[in-house]
Amino acid sequence: MIKKPTGYDEAAAYTGEFQQLPKGKYVCVIKRVATQKSKNGNEQFVILYDIAEGDQKGFYQKMFDNDKSQNPSGAKWRGVFKQNMEGKGLSWFKGIITSIERSNNFTFQWDRDDNEKTLNGKKFGGIFRRRQYEAENGNRPIVTELWQIRSLAGLSEAEVPEDELLPEGPGAGSQQAQANAAPPSMVDGNGFMNIPEGAGDEGIPFL
C-alpha cells in the first residue's frame, strides 16, 4: 500500500513540462535593462523581455511563476537577450537602440544616471527562430530563441528564418558544423549574443 504523503493535495504537480514558444514574429515588452561584463570582458547590453500581445502574451512571466513555485530561490527569468556593445557588436547594439526608439517614439538619453530605467515598459518587434544545438551530454535539443530585434513598423515585413538544424552524417565534423553546434548562449561573428528560451539554467534572476 502506498500512503499519501502529507501535503500531497496542496503541492504543485511538477512534471518538467512547459510549452515551447512557437517561432514567429512577436510584439515584445522590456521588463528590465542592465549592462554587465561578459566572461571575455566585453561590455554587454542585457534585456529582460516578455511577449506583450497575442495568444502568447505574458509567456515568460508564466514560465517564471511556474519555476518559482517549484524552486523559489533558484527561479530564473528566461526571456533574456544579450548584445555586445563594443567592437563588432557596436553596430548591432545601435540597431537595437534605434529599433526601440522608433517603436516608442522617444529618444534615449545617454550618460545619465539610471537612464536604463527609461527603457522599462518600452516595446519592440522580436523575430524568434528555432535552433538546434549540441548539449554537453550529446543530446541535440531544439530551442526557440530571440533572433533579431526590429522596430514595430518593420516587423510586418520581416521574415522568420527556417529552423537551423545540425547536420547529420560525415559532414557533421566540419568547421561549420562545429560552429552550429555551439550552445545558443555563445557569441557569433557579428557580436550577437542571446540566451534562448529553454536553454537551461542560464539567465538573470528577475528581482
Side-chain angles (χ1 to χ4, degrees), residues 131-142:
R131 179 183 174 192
Q132 186 179 40
Y133 72 100
E134 187 166 346
E136 292 183 358
N137 61 7
N139 290 339
R140 293 183 164 196
I142 297 177

Side-chain angles (χ1 to χ4, degrees), residues 26-40:
Y26 296 92
V27 175
C28 301
V29 61
I30 296 173
K31 308 296 287 187
R32 198 181 82 184
V33 169
T35 58
Q36 67 177 28
K37 290 286 187 181
S38 71
K39 293 180 180 179
N40 295 328

Side-chain angles (χ1 to χ4, degrees), residues 20 59-60 63 78-79 133 141-144 184 195-201:
Q20 188 175 81
F59 178 87
Y60 291 102
M63 178 177 283
R78 305 296 186 108
Y133 72 100
I142 297 177
V143 295
T144 305
I195 299 177
E197 179 273 315
D201 292 332

